[in-house]
Amino acid sequence: MLSLKLPQLLQVHQVFWEDGIMSGYRHPTSSALDCVLSSFQMTNETVNIWTHFLPTWYFLWRLLALAGGPGFRAEPYHWPLLIFLLPACLYPFASCCAHTFSSMSPRARHICYFLDYGALSLYSLGCAFPYAAYSMPASWLHGRLHQLFVPTAALNSFLCTGLSCYSRFPELESPGLSKVLRTAAFAYPFLFDNLPLFYRLGLCWGRGRDCGQEALSTSHGYHLLCALLTGFLFTSHLPERLAPGHFDYIGHSHQLFHICAVLGTHFQLEAVLADMGSRRAWLAAQEPALGLVGTLVTLGLVVAGNLLIIAAFTASLLRAPGSCPLLHGGPPEGGTRAKHQ
């Protein structure tokens, strides 16, 4: 009879360690099968895996449910929403795969997260399509910023992927610099994408409900709150930094980061749907719908460009000698530095 044995877990002194996480580590040269099996045992990555694997199916269900609605796909007005949902399904799946297979080897760990970062950068572009179509302030319609909004978001996605991939290279020698680069790589596209919301929020601040088409829905507020919490958890590494070893399996910052990110995407989808419905008649009189061909061409070019960036960093990684600090599987000398995903 075929029997499968769950992989053995390691302690902090045996592996390349995470700040505040003392146990539950997988072997740094696990097989692909061991990586898959580890998702069914309690490790410090198990909750990370499932908090993005299950939401992948939720967003896919939302995509199929909306796309399968009567006449939904046939109407150009709906296409930016569908384009947004494609990377919304992709980024949690890429994250799930990265957390699952990152323990196959030091090189595999970095390549997995290169792909994870690429999916997140595509998500940042995906957000720009519905914001340009449904969420622009009235004074911005047909203006220069509106016309350049999606092209700029496309360029931002290249910057996001390149900077975040590069940030893995100095993480042993300069972990602070690595963290700053990675945070900036994702914070900047988020801030740019949400400029229309920030502007509308500023217009409506203190005016109550007397805000007309610029009013933001409650879901917009929840989305921005979740984004704020996501950034805080990513940079602070709380609560595990306050009590090392107490949150190794459940409750550490990366798990909470995943949950807040997924909730933020959910509320973002609801906010986009709210803008679609409440502003439809007004937008129909203001601007033509975005063309599907141009949208798909833009998305395709950005996918190709991001894959080329990831390929370049992967090639650099594969050429690195085995003595390169980046490929060391254990903690740095002195055990005082940790990697940050």
Side-chain angles (χ1 to χ4, degrees):
M1 173 183 284
L2 177 65
S3 61
L4 296 176
K5 183 179 180 181
L6 292 176
Q8 179 184 1
L9 301 184
L10 306 178
Q11 300 297 310
V12 62
H13 64 279
Q14 298 173 288
V15 292
F16 192 39
W17 61 289
E18 297 282 355
D19 192 13
I21 307 298
M22 311 304 291
S23 62
Y25 290 94
R26 300 172 295 175
H27 197 281
T29 55
S30 303
S31 68
L33 177 60
D34 282 345
C35 289
V36 173
L37 290 176
S38 72
S39 65
F40 296 97
Q41 72 177 130
M42 207 58 198
T43 74
N44 58 34
E45 288 281 27
T46 304
V47 176
N48 287 334
I49 293 168
W50 288 96
T51 50
H52 269 176
F53 179 74
L54 295 177
T56 298
W57 296 101
Y58 167 73
F59 291 122
L60 182 60
W61 168 69
R62 294 296 301 267
L63 170 62
L64 296 176
L66 288 169
F72 198 91
R73 285 174 295 175
E75 195 165 351
Y77 184 73
H78 299 142
W79 292 341
L81 173 65
L82 299 180
I83 296 296
F84 161 73
L85 279 168
L86 292 176
C89 295
L90 176 64
Y91 91 79
F93 180 72
S95 172
C96 166
C97 291
H99 284 284
T100 300
F101 297 106
S102 60
S103 63
M104 289 184 66
S105 72
R107 282 189 173 90
R109 181 180 70 248
H110 294 296
I111 294 171
C112 281
Y113 287 109
F114 289 165
L115 293 169
D116 183 22
Y117 302 154
L120 283 169
S121 75
L122 290 177
Y123 173 67
S124 75
L125 171 63
C127 297
F129 287 110
Y131 282 179
Y134 315 125
S135 301
M136 280 289 156
S139 60
W140 290 13
L141 287 179
H142 307 300
R144 183 60 60 88
L145 181 57
H146 189 198
Q147 294 169 353
L148 296 178
F149 192 74
V150 170
T152 304
L155 295 176
N156 289 345
S157 76
F158 296 142
L159 176 65
C160 174
T161 301
L163 197 58
S164 57
C165 288
Y166 172 76
S167 72
R168 298 196 70 82
F169 287 79
E171 67 183 351
L172 281 178
E173 293 84 357
S174 303
L177 173 63
S178 174
K179 192 68 173 182
V180 169
L181 290 175
R182 199 168 306 161
T183 302
F186 297 113
Y188 166 65
F190 166 79
L191 293 173
F192 176 82
D193 284 347
N194 285 276
L195 282 177
L197 302 188
F198 297 145
Y199 186 81
R200 288 168 58 190
L201 180 63
L203 288 178
C204 295
W205 193 264
R207 293 174 58 182
R209 297 182 179 274
D210 183 26
C211 210
Q213 299 298 335
E214 309 296 7
L216 297 179
S217 71
T218 304
S219 294
H220 282 300
Y222 289 146
H223 159 60
L224 294 175
L225 175 61
C226 287
L228 181 64
L229 289 174
T230 298
F232 171 76
L233 291 165
F234 181 76
T235 55
S236 68
H237 287 264
L238 295 175
E240 66 270 14
R241 287 180 66 180
L242 299 178
H246 287 76
F247 300 95
D248 292 355
Y249 296 95
I250 296 178
H252 64 72
S253 61
H254 206 81
Q255 297 169 355
L256 302 177
F257 163 80
H258 275 203
I259 293 169
C260 287
V262 167
L263 287 174
T265 303
H266 163 75
F267 287 121
Q268 186 178 29
L269 172 59
E270 295 302 318
V272 167
L273 289 170
D275 274 352
M276 279 181 62
S278 65
R279 306 179 103 212
R280 179 165 188 167
W282 175 73
L283 285 170
Q286 302 293 326
E287 60 175 330
L290 294 176
L292 179 61
V293 174
T295 300
L296 291 178
V297 167
T298 301
L299 187 62
L301 289 174
V302 170
V303 170
N306 277 285
L307 287 176
L308 286 175
I309 293 172
I310 292 170
F313 280 102
T314 299
S316 176
L317 187 68
L318 294 177
R319 288 195 301 267
S323 59
C324 177
L326 187 67
L327 301 178
H328 288 176
E333 186 177 352
T336 59
R337 294 179 181 173
K339 83 179 177 69
H340 303 287
Q341 291 173 354

